[in-house]
Amino acid sequence: LSFASTSFLFLPCCKLASIIPALAMAAAGERPKASAGEAVVSFTTKLQGKYQVPEEELVLPSDLARYGLSEVVNRLLSLDPPVPFDFLVEGEFLRTSVAGYLEAHKLSSEKILRLEYVFALREPEQKTVDETPDWIAAIATLKAFPSDWFAAVSYDGTMRIYEGSESRMTVRLGDAGLAAVSALPVDGGRSSNIVAACQDGSLRCCSLEYGEKITVGPTAALHAVSRPQALEAAAISEDGTLLASAGWDQQVYVWNAESELFAAPETTGVGSKRKAAVDCEAKQAKFALKGHTQMVSCLKFGEKARFPFTLLSGSFDCSVRVWDMAAASCVCNWPVARAVTSFSLNPGMPAQMATTHEDGHVSLWDIRAPPHTSIKGALSLDASAGLPLVHAQSPHKRLASQVVWCPEDEYRVASVGHDGHLCILDPRSPKMPLQTVLVGKQGPTPNKLLCAAWLRKDALAVGGSDGKVVRVSLAASLPE
């Protein structure tokens, strides 16, 4: 489902013969007319400079799809080497032939079809950053986006710190496996506060400082109950004042992020050992949020500029809930029909949410809510808010593990699944991914991809059951 630099399908001579007269008619100012098996199209683009063609009406063979249309645009632009393009009709990617689109929308061949062309994704590049002895459960960026710094946690209880494609540090946060991680850059980006969900039921907290040498402070362990069950989700609010954890006991625990939980690293001599985890059994959760009836798989605090004073949670009980942090209560209970493995929010507008599910589905939802009464531009997620479905597709043949929306592009979404595939999705392509990338081994039992994180607009880090951390670059540079 991707364009490679060598994957152009050149048009047969018979089709070129029908295009050249149409170009001549357009140049002469005549309106072209479509015959049987033809369609009238007009190309438009928001690309600049040499990638613009005159917005003229052309008669083309109606059986052309995106590969053939890309070849037409390349010939109109006289590009050498050729550049792959993709096409939008009425804000949606064209995924059939021109004839198929006209038939599906009950349009006449005389209808002028206006095609907007954009750069297509090229064949991605994969680079193994690290190989670890256990499954990679979660990945989180450590600095403000875009960030080459990221952390990966695994089921051996360790957290590994990376810069670009280099491993910088390995830290043991606990004796049990780590299932989730969240990080917040603080102190002007000179350090990060990190929280990790541990399968012994504790929330592990530590501080990471950057400098000539990377240093990690002592680990604090928060326990919500005396006999906890495994945690699967962790979150930290954007102002760093609240923490949240959840898992198999179906409750969501919210904590005050006290300064001692993120103690600065101590200056120690060469060869000295890092302090063991500090058990904070005396510390109590600020409150416990009850309502989910099955395992809670994902958490995220709402941003103050968009969904202030809220915490969102997804669960295997087939629901997404919104919790009011001031009232410590559930204000929205949105049914989503399938067990939720993860969710991610659109960084732009309109307000939307993507969810992944145990059957391989990725669903896109509109968040319908009234404006916030005191914060301009924000939405008030209350009992009147709704979550109507926009569309759903099945890009994965097995469980879809995680979906992540690119923080700087409302049109770029990534999902990973137990089928070993990384899928690049776009809200404008409701029926199929823009690109599907196999990461790891092929075969009847492929590598299970468990997590992904955007590092920049054209690069992600992914991890899975083979213990590898892989950097995937989506786009190569365009020819000059």
Side-chain angles (χ1 to χ4, degrees), residues 166-210:
E166 300 294 328
S167 176
R168 298 297 300 271
M169 173 179 280
T170 300
V171 183
R172 177 166 290 279
L173 297 185
D175 294 327
L178 301 175
V181 64
S182 182
L184 177 72
V186 295
D187 194 23
R190 290 185 289 272
S191 60
S192 298
N193 290 345
I194 301 172
V195 293
C198 192
Q199 294 197 311
D200 65 3
S202 67
L203 183 66
R204 302 285 167 144
C205 312
C206 67
S207 175
L208 176 72
E209 287 192 0
Y210 312 96

Side-chain angles (χ1 to χ4, degrees), residues 346-416:
N346 183 352
M349 294 299 288
Q352 292 181 319
M353 172 188 291
T355 56
T356 50
H357 305 277
E358 86 292 349
D359 60 357
H361 269 80
V362 178
S363 302
L364 182 67
W365 311 82
D366 271 339
I367 300 176
R368 303 281 178 84
H372 199 275
T373 56
S374 58
I375 300 178
K376 186 178 180 180
L379 298 179
S380 180
L381 297 183
D382 54 26
S384 66
L387 193 74
L389 179 67
V390 179
H391 59 74
Q393 56 180 281
S394 299
H396 299 283
K397 296 180 180 179
R398 301 185 181 185
L399 181 145
S401 311
Q402 188 175 12
V403 61
V404 283
W405 218 306
C406 180
E408 289 187 351
D409 192 340
E410 66 268 31
Y411 296 127
R412 188 158 288 189
V413 187
S415 67
V416 292

Side-chain angles (χ1 to χ4, degrees), residues 274-285:
R274 179 172 170 266
K275 283 189 175 182
V278 179
D279 204 336
C280 301
E281 288 190 4
K283 295 187 181 298
Q284 300 294 318

Side-chain angles (χ1 to χ4, degrees), residues 101-387:
Y101 180 88
L102 293 174
E103 181 179 355
H105 292 78
K106 296 180 171 57
L107 299 175
S108 165
S109 60
E110 296 296 326
K111 167 72 175 178
I112 301 173
L113 202 60
R114 305 200 180 277
L115 303 176
E116 179 187 352
Y117 58 94
V118 296
F119 291 130
L121 292 177
R122 290 174 174 268
E123 194 71 26
E125 298 177 0
Q126 300 182 38
K127 181 178 181 180
T128 300
V129 176
D130 197 7
E131 295 187 34
T132 68
D134 213 329
W135 293 19
I136 303 297
I139 296 174
T141 54
L142 296 174
K143 293 190 175 185
F145 191 87
S147 171
D148 282 331
W149 287 87
F150 64 97
V153 296
S154 61
Y155 288 107
D156 61 2
T158 60
M159 175 178 68
R160 294 170 174 84
I161 307 299
Y162 301 94
E163 181 185 11
S165 299
E166 300 294 328
S167 176
R168 298 297 300 271
M169 173 179 280
T170 300
V171 183
R172 177 166 290 279
L173 297 185
D175 294 327
L178 301 175
V181 64
S182 182
L184 177 72
V186 295
D187 194 23
R190 290 185 289 272
S191 60
S192 298
N193 290 345
I194 301 172
V195 293
C198 192
Q199 294 197 311
D200 65 3
S202 67
L203 183 66
R204 302 285 167 144
C205 312
C206 67
S207 175
L208 176 72
E209 287 192 0
Y210 312 96
E212 294 183 4
K213 183 180 179 181
I214 310 302
T215 53
V216 179
T219 301
L222 295 172
H223 298 271
V225 292
S226 59
R227 300 182 65 182
Q229 297 185 48
L231 295 182
E232 294 291 336
I236 183 169
S237 62
E238 65 176 347
D239 61 2
T241 61
L242 295 176
L243 313 176
S245 64
W248 286 93
D249 72 354
Q250 306 168 12
Q251 299 188 52
V252 178
Y253 299 97
V254 178
W255 311 77
N256 286 321
E258 300 172 3
S259 57
E260 56 263 38
L261 299 177
F262 302 100
E266 296 181 359
T267 304
T268 55
V270 176
S272 59
K273 293 184 177 181
R274 179 172 170 266
K275 283 189 175 182
V278 179
D279 204 336
C280 301
E281 288 190 4
K283 295 187 181 298
Q284 300 294 318
K286 184 181 179 73
F287 42 75
L289 304 172
K290 300 180 181 180
H292 284 298
T293 58
Q294 292 192 42
M295 185 267 287
V296 181
S297 57
C298 43
L299 294 169
K300 182 174 177 59
F301 283 98
E303 298 175 357
K304 186 176 181 180
R306 305 188 69 209
F307 312 114
F309 318 119
T310 60
L311 174 67
L312 291 84
S313 61
S315 169
F316 273 30
D317 64 8
C318 306
S319 74
V320 173
R321 288 178 178 252
V322 181
W323 310 87
D324 186 318
M325 289 294 92
S329 63
C330 179
V331 291
C332 300
N333 181 13
W334 293 325
V336 295
R338 299 177 176 91
V340 179
T341 56
S342 76
F343 67 80
S344 186
L345 299 173
N346 183 352
M349 294 299 288
Q352 292 181 319
M353 172 188 291
T355 56
T356 50
H357 305 277
E358 86 292 349
D359 60 357
H361 269 80
V362 178
S363 302
L364 182 67
W365 311 82
D366 271 339
I367 300 176
R368 303 281 178 84
H372 199 275
T373 56
S374 58
I375 300 178
K376 186 178 180 180
L379 298 179
S380 180
L381 297 183
D382 54 26
S384 66
L387 193 74

